Structures are given as structure tokens and as C-alpha cells.
Amino acid sequence: MTLLTSSEAVIDSELLPRVRSTAPWYAPKGNIRLSMNGTVYWVRLQPEQVDDAMEAATAWRRRP
């Protein structure tokens, strides 16, 4: 996974199995928490994008 700025500069990058993502109940709607390389990032998305982002970040775990 690669985390980019709005101008497409790389902030951080990590193999997907090493990225931890959550959408905590206490976070404002549309915010997810990513942990990459020991750094925690709060990412703000459109609320309707959160479910798709969480699915994409965890789908690799269900593959045989």
C-alpha cells in the first residue's frame, strides 16, 4: 500500500499484509486509522468510501 499526498508525493509505503487498518467507533465518520512501518496515520475519506477501503485493505487475508 502506498500513502500519497494530494499532489501524488509518497508519504509512506508498505506491503499490504503489514498494514493494519481500522475504522474505530470513536472516529468521525469517514476516518480510518492506518498503521504502516510503526507510524499511525489518520486518513479522511468520503464516508461512503470507508467500507470499500476497509474491504480492499483486508481482502488479501481471505484468499486461499
Side-chain angles (χ1 to χ4, degrees), residues 1-45:
M1 172 179 272
T2 301
L3 192 59
L4 304 172
T5 66
S6 58
S7 59
E8 298 186 17
V10 175
I11 297 171
D12 204 349
S13 183
E14 181 58 275
L15 296 174
L16 195 53
R18 295 183 183 170
V19 175
R20 296 291 173 244
S21 60
T22 59
W25 61 268
Y26 55 83
K29 194 163 183 80
N31 287 272
I32 61 172
R33 181 182 182 269
L34 296 176
S35 178
M36 298 172 65
N37 297 320
T39 303
V40 174
Y41 299 97
W42 284 94
V43 179
R44 185 174 52 209
L45 303 170

Side-chain angles (χ1 to χ4, degrees), residues 43-56:
V43 179
R44 185 174 52 209
L45 303 170
Q46 295 296 322
E48 59 273 6
Q49 294 175 318
V50 171
D51 290 339
D52 290 341
M54 295 300 295
E55 171 67 22

